[in-house]
């Protein structure tokens, strides 16, 4: 990305700022005294690109508006990969802003507006605000007092979040292991207590299974009872309607046959009159018909045809009546089949097992747990506990079902049979209800003794789940910890290798050959190689001025890496007072080295109070000549 033109009104210290005819390669020098507006140009460029600055963000961005003005505007024209674009922003004193991005070849169709401009610019130039301020934009305050182990230096590598996360994971793992040891001790104590209460817990589980089976059988019998009663009501309605079905069907059939014969006869008569009127006895019939309808003015064959259509409609209605009767018969037979099916389902019910009515002892409540005749004892029946065989025999039930299917069984006969079945079902349901009461009483007595066992079981299950989850959690965090440490080491290694070429070109130039290359170890410690001492030195062992030179070389290396990986095009950088403590000789040499670095960094904006006269600067813009106006490449603004 190369800046081609910058125009701003009522922003920062400038009422009018217009810069054009900017060289695309080389150094653009911004010179002037303190508070002359040099750094303001960098902040205006940053605002034009990202809607914020290094110093002002969020609600404070409104402070960028020129003092005394209500709003400001900026337009920045730049080139990316051979295409020219223009971004415009308006900013109000309250912080509200609008933006528009266009391509100069098609200005009528904006590429983005409002909040979408930032995303569109990030896609175009290959980086966002954070990457920009860490690489291509060196703010003046960033190099005021550099420290070798500052967060900014570590952030350049990009591994700080990984190292921080790995350290926090290590603390969490140690705390989780201590908690896991306490849980395991608690688990052993609970298991020992559970072993003492295991027999009581077994009796409770047996009673609960018995009670569940009783409830399931009771529900099944209740469902069969409801279905049997509903099917009986449907059959009664079907039988009453079926009695009049035969007479209605015979009457409908008679009407249909009469209508059909009439239609056929009238059709034959019409055909004879129409096609063979001379054949005997047609002349006689025609004369007779014409005498009947002589006063109407109608013709004989038309009258016959109309009467035939009338009988045809009557025939259609008769057939429709027969169809409706057939549908009603089918529905009534379906109701009869449903009753027969319900009777078959009753035959399929298995007898109640005697074990459900026994006093729980085998796998349930021991014999001594329930007193004879007490509230926990089951109901007493004379004889054994098998189901009474008091239903009609199989042959009688089969004959009744066959007559039901044919709708021949009378309602009184069916009601009598169903009443017998209902009594049989209710008797079984009463027996199950008595057995349920006995089981519930026994279960209530054991629950008071087994409450502790259930509590132990639930606590053990929960504790085992917590232990398993904690083990999985620890294993996952250990793996994550190893991966984070490995990723941090790999990032440090790649960072050092990726910057070696750029830094090896810049570092000797800025340090006059005293330091040749830079190294970043796995612990993110920055060291430089001194050709004088022939050894790697920590930044603490180097003077403050040399540290700034090294940091500048590192910043340029980071910028080159960013451009090479994401932009892959020519790129500008803005360096605010990078050589603040250089004398004129060292400043001249640094600018010469900066212009000869090569690579993708081609347009350098450099801020300094003064530049040597013979410095290799493509364009020098003097700031501060007018208090709030700065122009270049435009007519002078009054």
């Amino acid at each position: 990305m190369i800046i081609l033109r910058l125009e701003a009104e009522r922003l920062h210290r400038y009422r009018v700022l217009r810069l054009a005819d900017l060289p695309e390669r080389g150094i653009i020098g911004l010179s002037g005294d303190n508070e002359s507006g040099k750094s303001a140009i960098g902040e205006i460029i940053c605002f034009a690109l990202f809607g914020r600055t290094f110093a002002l963000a969020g609600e404070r961005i409104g402070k960028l508006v020129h003092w005394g003005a209500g709003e400001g505007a900026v337009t920045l024209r730049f080139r990316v990969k051979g295409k020219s674009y223009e971004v415009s922003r308006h900013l109000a004193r309250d912080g509200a802003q609008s933006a528009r991005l266009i391509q100069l070849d098609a200005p009528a169709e904006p590429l983005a507006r409002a909040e979408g401009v930032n995303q569109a610019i990030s896609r175009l130039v290959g980086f966002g605000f954070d990457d920009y301020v860490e690489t291509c934009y060196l703010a003046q305050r960033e190099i005021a007092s550099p420290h070798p182990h500052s967060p900014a230096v570590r952030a350049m590598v990009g591994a700080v979040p990984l190292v921080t996360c790995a350290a926090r994971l290590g603390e969490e793992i140690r705390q989780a292991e201590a908690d896991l040891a306490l849980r395991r001790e608690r688990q052993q104590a609970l298991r020992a207590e559970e072993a003492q209460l295991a027999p009581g817990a077994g009796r409770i589980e047996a009673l609960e299974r018995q009670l569940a089976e009783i409830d399931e059988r009771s529900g099944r019998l209740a469902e069969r009872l409801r279905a049997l009663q509903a099917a009986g009501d449907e059959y009664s309605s079907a039988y009453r309607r079926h009695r009049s079905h035969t007479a209605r069907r015979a009457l409908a059939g008679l009407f249909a046959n009469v209508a059909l014969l009439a239609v056929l006869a009238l059709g034959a008569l019409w055909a004879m009159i129409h096609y063979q009127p001379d054949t005997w006895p047609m002349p006689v019939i025609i004369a007779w018909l014409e005498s009947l309808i002589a006063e109407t003015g109608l013709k004989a064959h038309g009258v016959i045809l109309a009467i035939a259509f009338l009988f045809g409609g009557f025939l259609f209605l008769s057939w429709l009546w027969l169809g409706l009767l057939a549908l009603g018969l089918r529905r009534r037979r379906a109701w009869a089949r449903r009753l027969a099916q319900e009777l078959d389902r009753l035959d399929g019910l298995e007898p109640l097992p005697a074990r459900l009515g026994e006093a729980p002892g085998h796998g349930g409540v021991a014999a001594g747990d329930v007193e004879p005749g007490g509230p926990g004892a089951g109901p007493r029946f004379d004889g054994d506990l098998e189901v009474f065989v008091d239903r009609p025999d199989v042959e009688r039930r089969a004959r009744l079902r066959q007559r039901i299917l044919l709708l021949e069984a009378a309602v009184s006969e069916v009601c009598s049979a169903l009443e017998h079945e209902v009594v049989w079902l209710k008797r079984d349901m009463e027996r199950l209800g008595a057995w349920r009461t006995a089981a519930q009483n026994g279960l209530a007595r054991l629950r008071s003794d087994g409450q502790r066992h259930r509590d132990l079981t639930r606590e053990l299950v929960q504790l085992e789940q917590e232990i398993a989850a904690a083990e999985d959690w620890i294993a996952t965090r250990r793996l994550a910890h190893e991966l984070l440490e490995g990723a941090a080491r790999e990032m440090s290694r790649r960072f050092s290798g990726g910057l070696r070429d750029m830094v090896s070109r810049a570092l000797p130039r800025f340090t006059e050959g005293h330091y040749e290359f830079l190294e970043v170890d796995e612990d993110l410690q920055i060291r430089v190689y001194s050709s004088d001492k022939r050894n790697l030195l920590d930044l603490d062992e180097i003077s403050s001025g040399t540290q700034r030179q090294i940091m500048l070389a590192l910043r340029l290396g980071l910028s080159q890496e960013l451009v090479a990986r994401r932009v892959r095009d020519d790129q500008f950088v803005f360096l605010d007072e990078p050589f603040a403590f250089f004398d004129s000789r060292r400043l001249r040499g640094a600018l010469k080295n900066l212009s000869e670095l090569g690579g993708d960094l081609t347009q350098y904006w450099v801020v300094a109070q003064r530049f040597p006269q013979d410095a290799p600067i493509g364009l020098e813009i003097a700031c501060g000549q007018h208090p709030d106006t700065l122009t270049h490449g435009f007519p002078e603004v009054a």
Side-chain angles (χ1 to χ4, degrees):
M1 172 186 174
I2 298 299
I3 296 177
L4 304 178
R5 176 183 293 185
L6 175 63
E7 298 181 63
E9 295 181 357
R10 300 179 300 277
L11 285 182
H12 214 288
R13 64 165 289 126
Y14 289 105
R15 182 175 57 87
V16 176
L17 173 64
R18 294 182 177 179
L19 302 179
D21 297 336
L22 301 174
E24 299 183 14
R25 306 186 69 85
I27 298 175
I28 300 174
L30 303 176
S31 61
D33 297 331
N34 292 334
E35 300 297 328
S36 61
K38 305 184 297 297
S39 299
I41 296 176
E43 294 192 2
I44 291 174
I45 293 175
C46 185
F47 171 73
L49 289 174
F50 303 105
R52 56 180 296 189
T53 69
F54 181 78
L56 299 174
E59 298 177 354
R60 301 180 63 239
I61 191 63
K63 296 178 180 286
L64 192 66
V65 178
H66 185 66
W67 183 84
E71 61 179 6
V74 61
T75 300
L76 178 67
R77 185 174 297 180
F78 58 92
R79 193 191 71 248
V80 176
K81 296 182 179 179
K83 296 183 179 180
S84 298
Y85 302 88
E86 188 174 272
V87 58
S88 302
R89 293 185 186 269
H90 288 76
L91 176 64
R93 174 67 67 177
D94 59 1
Q97 59 175 292
S98 61
R100 186 183 71 158
L101 174 66
I102 63 172
Q103 184 177 346
L104 293 182
D105 295 338
E109 300 178 0
L111 299 178
R113 293 181 183 273
E115 298 179 356
V117 171
N118 290 350
Q119 298 178 355
I121 287 181
S122 297
R123 289 193 298 268
L124 282 177
V125 304
F127 52 81
F129 175 79
D130 294 333
D131 294 330
Y132 174 71
V133 298
E134 289 292 340
T135 55
C136 300
Y137 178 60
L138 177 62
Q140 181 178 3
R141 66 196 66 191
E142 285 190 283
I143 60 172
S145 56
H147 191 276
H149 306 306
S150 67
V153 176
R154 292 178 174 269
M156 291 179 186
V157 182
V160 174
L162 301 181
V163 175
T164 303
C165 186
R168 292 180 179 177
L169 277 179
E171 292 294 333
E172 292 178 359
I173 290 172
R174 286 189 288 273
Q175 182 63 39
E177 288 176 342
D179 294 341
L180 182 60
L182 294 177
R183 286 193 180 98
R184 285 174 175 164
E185 293 178 0
R186 175 63 176 168
Q187 183 185 35
Q188 293 178 357
L190 292 179
R191 283 178 176 172
E193 187 175 357
E194 183 191 32
Q196 299 177 355
L197 300 175
R203 291 195 298 270
I204 292 176
E205 291 173 356
L207 268 179
E208 288 175 344
R209 288 194 299 270
Q210 180 175 337
L211 187 60
E213 185 176 356
I214 291 174
D215 291 338
E216 190 271 336
R217 288 179 177 273
S218 297
R220 209 184 317 169
L221 292 179
E223 181 182 358
R224 294 274 63 80
L225 179 60
R226 291 192 297 270
L228 184 63
Q229 291 173 342
D233 295 339
E234 291 176 351
Y235 179 83
S236 299
S237 176
Y239 182 80
R240 286 191 296 268
R241 295 181 183 180
H242 186 67
R243 297 185 62 182
S244 61
H245 173 78
T246 303
R248 286 180 292 171
R249 188 173 184 279
L251 182 59
L254 176 61
F255 288 162
N257 291 333
V258 171
L260 179 60
L261 291 175
V263 169
L264 293 177
L266 291 171
L269 180 60
W270 179 85
M272 292 296 293
I273 294 174
H274 190 73
Y275 295 104
Q276 295 181 355
D278 298 332
T279 304
W280 191 90
M282 299 311 300
V284 178
I285 296 176
I286 293 174
W288 177 71
L289 290 175
E290 288 179 349
S291 64
L292 292 177
I293 62 175
E295 296 180 359
T296 63
L298 301 175
K299 293 184 179 181
H301 66 275
V303 173
I304 294 174
L305 186 61
I307 296 174
F309 276 114
L310 180 62
F311 276 96
F314 187 69
L315 176 62
F316 175 75
L317 293 176
S318 300
W319 284 347
L320 183 60
W321 189 12
L322 286 172
L324 294 176
L325 291 174
L327 289 177
L329 178 62
R330 183 179 300 176
R331 184 169 60 253
R332 289 189 291 273
R333 291 190 182 278
W335 290 347
R337 283 196 301 272
R338 179 181 174 186
L339 179 57
Q341 291 173 356
E342 292 300 329
L343 292 174
D344 290 338
R345 290 192 180 98
L346 290 181
D347 291 341
L349 291 175
E350 61 181 3
L352 298 181
R355 58 182 173 78
L356 293 180
E358 293 177 351
H362 303 289
V365 182
D369 292 337
V370 181
E371 298 178 0
R380 301 181 60 84
F381 295 99
D382 295 332
D384 56 18
L385 293 174
E386 296 295 333
V387 177
F388 294 114
V389 184
D390 51 2
R391 301 176 64 195
D393 56 57
V394 177
E395 293 183 1
R396 288 178 58 189
R397 294 203 302 272
R399 288 195 299 270
L400 177 62
R401 280 196 293 272
Q402 186 64 29
R403 295 178 61 209
I404 288 174
L405 290 173
L406 298 175
L407 289 172
E408 295 178 354
V411 174
S412 58
E413 181 182 3
V414 172
C415 289
S416 177
L418 294 185
E419 183 178 0
H420 195 92
E421 300 289 349
V422 167
V423 170
W424 174 69
L425 286 174
K426 288 184 177 179
R427 182 178 300 171
D428 279 357
M429 293 175 65
E430 290 176 358
R431 294 157 74 90
L432 288 173
W435 294 345
R436 181 190 298 110
T437 301
Q440 288 175 343
N441 291 336
L443 188 61
R445 290 176 59 109
L446 288 177
R447 277 177 176 168
S448 60
D449 298 334
Q451 184 63 42
R452 178 55 184 167
H453 180 269
R454 286 194 302 276
D455 293 342
L456 289 176
T457 302
R458 285 194 298 268
E459 187 174 356
L460 272 174
V461 170
Q462 182 178 359
L463 193 57
E464 290 172 357
Q465 293 175 351
E466 292 176 356
I467 290 174
E471 291 174 346
D472 292 340
W473 190 92
I474 292 173
T476 303
R477 265 54 180 185
R478 283 176 178 169
L479 178 59
H481 186 266
E482 295 175 0
L483 292 175
L484 286 171
E485 288 184 338
R489 289 192 297 269
E490 180 65 16
M491 290 184 67
S492 299
R493 186 186 64 80
R494 290 186 179 184
F495 172 81
S496 179
L499 295 181
R500 184 176 293 113
D501 294 339
M502 183 63 183
V503 176
S504 63
R505 293 197 303 269
L507 190 59
R509 294 173 181 269
F510 292 142
T511 61
E512 297 182 343
H514 294 291
Y515 300 94
E516 297 182 2
F517 63 87
L518 176 144
E519 181 184 84
V520 180
D521 60 15
E522 295 179 355
D523 295 329
L524 304 181
Q525 300 293 325
I526 299 177
R527 297 189 298 174
V528 292
Y529 181 78
S530 172
S531 58
D532 297 335
K533 300 181 180 180
R534 298 184 181 278
N535 194 7
L536 289 169
L537 303 179
D538 294 331
L539 292 187
D540 292 331
E541 305 177 50
I542 303 172
S543 66
S544 175
T546 304
Q547 287 183 20
R548 290 178 173 83
Q549 298 168 8
I550 294 171
M551 295 296 290
L552 177 60
L554 182 60
R555 171 61 67 102
L556 294 175
L558 285 171
S559 302
Q560 178 61 44
E561 281 292 306
L562 177 68
V563 173
R565 293 183 181 182
R566 301 185 187 177
V567 183
R568 300 182 181 90
D569 191 21
D570 294 341
Q571 176 63 36
F572 85 94
V573 291
F574 193 96
L575 306 176
D576 193 352
E577 297 282 0
F579 312 114
F581 299 95
F582 282 29
D583 55 32
S584 60
R585 181 185 64 82
R586 295 183 66 185
L587 177 58
R588 185 184 301 106
L591 292 174
K592 179 177 181 297
N593 293 328
L594 190 65
S595 62
E596 296 175 353
L597 282 179
D600 296 320
L601 304 180
T602 59
Q603 187 184 59
Y604 293 89
W605 293 65
V606 180
V607 175
Q609 291 187 355
R610 300 289 183 272
F611 290 102
Q613 293 182 355
D614 54 348
I617 297 177
L619 171 65
E620 181 176 356
I621 300 175
C623 302
Q625 295 180 355
H626 300 284
D628 57 1
T629 301
L630 178 61
T631 63
H632 173 78
F634 287 89
E636 289 293 335
V637 178

